[in-house]
Amino acid sequence: MQTIAIFSDIHGNATAFKAMLADAKAQGATDYWFLGDLLMPGPGVAEIWDLLEAIHPSQLVRGNWDDLVIHGARGEIDLKKPSHVYFARLAQFVAERLPKSALATMAAWPLRQTVTVGKLNFSLSHNLPKLNMGQALFPTNSSRKFDQLFLPETDVALYAHVHHQLLRYGSDERIILNPGSVGEPFNGQAKLQADTRAQYLILQVDEQGLAGLNFRHVAYDRKAEWRAAQAAELPYLAIYHRHLKTGRVYTHNQEMLAAANAKYNYVAECQQYQAQFAHKK
């Protein structure tokens, strides 16, 4: 029997990640698979990286926010929209706290991994196998869209990105799983969104196949996460506080982000940061 902890979308929330890891250990996890989106917008940076390295996940894939971290740290995000400034300023925050070697390692993560456990073939990606962004695999979409996750030999496909825990089937009844989000679980229904516990999946595989699926919800101290954000002087601090209180995210609220950018002079800070790369070209 193999017991695998599958997790994704930590988004810089070290407090949630530590609670998830403690729970996975208690559940007897013997391996870890990470499906992308490690950092931002939360304050956890080096601590999260160290925690990830300590568990040595046997499988890792790169998410769209991982790409934002990489490009933003290199000064490569345009500043045309308030949300772009948001990504760029948060990536600068990460770059100031994470070794360049870690960024290089992250950039080398693949978009898709395949692995065989027992007699089952698994395919892992953050979203689509060749595209780690977009809403093609939103949980309420048709099964035909989800068929894009499968290779001919795939028995079980795992993806992340949409921040919803999920068990469903492709059009030919192959299995699709999503572990949900450690740091930012989503749901459009208010009562369900109110559950902001860290989400992940315990997957058990034996000689016959899938022996167990346990979609975990792990409580953690959100006040402690808020204190960590304050201590780190996290950019967009008030917006992160609002997220911790509501569970909602404001990534594409251009008006709210524009107001924060103006108040805290984030555009100028991003321009100054990016200027160092322009001089090296």
Side-chain angles (χ1 to χ4, degrees), residues 187-197 217 248:
N187 198 286
Q189 297 295 318
K191 288 182 181 179
L192 298 175
Q193 179 63 74
D195 183 354
T196 55
R197 290 174 290 184
H217 287 202
R248 302 292 183 187

Side-chain angles (χ1 to χ4, degrees), residues 127-180:
N127 188 49
L128 292 170
K130 295 182 180 180
L131 182 67
N132 60 11
M133 57 183 290
Q135 293 298 306
L137 302 182
F138 192 75
T140 55
N141 286 353
S142 70
S143 292
R144 294 289 179 188
K145 289 185 178 290
F146 287 84
D147 289 345
Q148 299 174 85
L149 288 167
F150 298 120
L151 295 167
E153 66 273 18
T154 302
D155 300 303
V156 181
L158 294 120
Y159 83 106
H161 186 57
V162 296
H163 297 213
H164 288 66
Q165 290 181 323
L166 177 148
L167 162 61
R168 66 175 293 165
Y169 297 88
S171 60
D172 60 0
E173 298 189 41
R174 285 186 282 182
I175 293 174
I176 300 160
L177 301 170
N178 191 312

Side-chain angles (χ1 to χ4, degrees), residues 120-134:
L120 296 178
N121 296 316
F122 294 84
S123 175
L124 287 65
S125 55
H126 182 70
N127 188 49
L128 292 170
K130 295 182 180 180
L131 182 67
N132 60 11
M133 57 183 290

Side-chain angles (χ1 to χ4, degrees), residues 213-231:
L213 296 171
N214 189 346
F215 287 96
R216 304 290 296 167
H217 287 202
V218 184
Y220 68 94
D221 188 345
R222 292 173 79 81
K223 291 182 179 179
E225 176 64 12
W226 167 236
R227 291 193 294 271
Q230 290 176 297

Side-chain angles (χ1 to χ4, degrees), residues 67-69 71-79 83-85 87-88 91 274:
D67 282 340
L68 288 171
V69 168
H71 293 298
R74 295 171 178 169
E76 296 172 350
I77 296 178
D78 72 69
L79 307 176
S83 57
H84 294 186
V85 177
F87 300 141
Q274 292 183 354

Side-chain angles (χ1 to χ4, degrees), residues 7-11 34-40 49 52 59-72 103 105-113 124-134 159-163:
F7 63 102
S8 70
D9 295 282
I10 298 166
H11 284 289
F34 175 56
L35 303 186
D37 280 8
L38 187 66
L39 305 172
M40 302 196 321
W49 185 259
L52 186 73
Q59 307 295 325
L60 304 99
V61 296
R62 195 174 77 251
N64 58 316
W65 279 70
D66 302 320
D67 282 340
L68 288 171
V69 168
I70 294 159
H71 293 298
L103 290 167
T105 298
M106 189 183 298
W109 292 345
L111 292 180
R112 168 184 250 166
Q113 292 272 59
L124 287 65
S125 55
H126 182 70
N127 188 49
L128 292 170
K130 295 182 180 180
L131 182 67
N132 60 11
M133 57 183 290
Y159 83 106
H161 186 57
V162 296
H163 297 213

